[in-house]
Amino acid sequence: MYIYWRIQQDLSCLGEMIVFHEPCFIRSLREWTRKNATGIALAEDFALAELVRPSMN
């Protein structure tokens, strides 16, 4: 999951957005992000609340 997350971050720096359509993959990526939210926030200088915001889907 880290590879997909890293690709998404690199594309967002270029102004592009990657959209995943597979529900199982989206769920797995979301769970991975929540599990690793503290490390991601420290590495990328994000606010922890920004990473774990509730989804309206």
Side-chain angles (χ1 to χ4, degrees):
M1 286 294 133
Y2 173 76
I3 293 171
Y4 293 107
W5 179 81
R6 189 69 225 168
I7 290 170
Q8 185 175 19
Q9 294 304 310
D10 290 343
L11 286 175
S12 68
C13 289
L14 297 173
E16 298 292 327
M17 185 65 175
I18 189 169
V19 177
F20 299 112
H21 296 285
E22 180 65 34
C24 182
F25 182 79
I26 294 169
R27 183 175 48 252
S28 296
L29 185 61
R30 187 178 307 127
E31 288 175 8
W32 179 87
T33 304
R34 286 185 184 147
K35 179 181 171 190
N36 296 293
T38 305
I40 293 170
L42 290 172
E44 297 294 327
D45 198 30
F46 288 143
L48 191 57
E50 184 179 331
L51 285 173
V52 192
R53 71 183 99 128
S55 175
M56 300 303 285
N57 290 340

